[in-house]
Amino acid sequence: MGDVLTKIEIVTRPEKFEAFKQELAKIGVNGITVVEAKGTGLQKGYKETYRGVTREISLYDRIKIEIVVCEVPVQQVIDLARKNFNTGEPGDGKIFIYELANVIKIRTAEEGRAALKNEQ
């Protein structure tokens, strides 16, 4: 194996995702996983009235973006995420970074860097 594999998880607002995805493609990151999520951090909930019914909203729409890199520098992905998702307001999100022990492609049993290659 020998290569450093790093997983980057970004939890943020969904509004700026498309622009971020295009920027990732420019630096050579093509494989990503995106999950719709709900969550809250330091920001408080708010009340919303719809058709006369008031309800408290305490969870916000978020997305979780998962990226595994070994060739693209981790700091480059982090810098892109901060540039794209930063509004300066609470709720911009968090970036989590994990070192992975291994990646195994189920279909071919390839491991490490070879498992991340997009070959047919």
Side-chain angles (χ1 to χ4, degrees):
M1 213 169 52
D3 296 319
V4 176
L5 302 167
T6 305
K7 179 178 180 181
I8 304 165
E9 268 184 22
I10 305 164
V11 179
T12 189
R13 296 182 179 106
E15 294 85 23
K16 298 182 178 183
F17 171 68
E18 285 302 319
F20 178 65
K21 185 173 76 168
Q22 291 172 5
E23 292 294 319
L24 283 176
K26 288 179 187 175
I27 65 168
V29 176
N30 297 311
I32 61 174
T33 300
V34 180
V35 179
E36 291 182 13
K38 292 206 177 272
T40 189
L42 298 176
Q43 72 271 37
K44 305 290 184 219
Y46 61 95
K47 291 186 180 183
E48 180 178 86
T49 302
Y50 179 72
R51 294 188 175 182
V53 177
T54 301
R55 63 184 189 141
E56 188 169 332
I57 308 297
S58 59
L59 296 176
Y60 295 88
D61 290 334
R62 297 287 182 252
I63 57 173
K64 181 167 79 168
I65 304 163
E66 299 178 351
I67 306 164
V68 176
V69 296
C70 63
E71 294 179 8
V72 175
V74 172
Q75 191 61 49
Q76 196 171 8
V77 176
I78 293 167
D79 292 344
L80 270 180
R82 292 192 68 218
K83 179 180 133 198
N84 279 272
F85 295 117
N86 182 19
T87 66
E89 298 293 324
D92 282 347
K94 300 277 190 292
I95 301 171
F96 303 93
I97 302 163
Y98 310 92
E99 190 170 313
L100 299 179
N102 198 5
V103 175
I104 302 169
K105 187 182 284 187
I106 295 172
R107 180 176 54 89
T108 63
E110 292 172 292
E111 297 189 31
R113 182 182 289 222
L116 297 178
K117 300 273 186 206
N118 288 329
E119 298 170 0
Q120 298 296 327

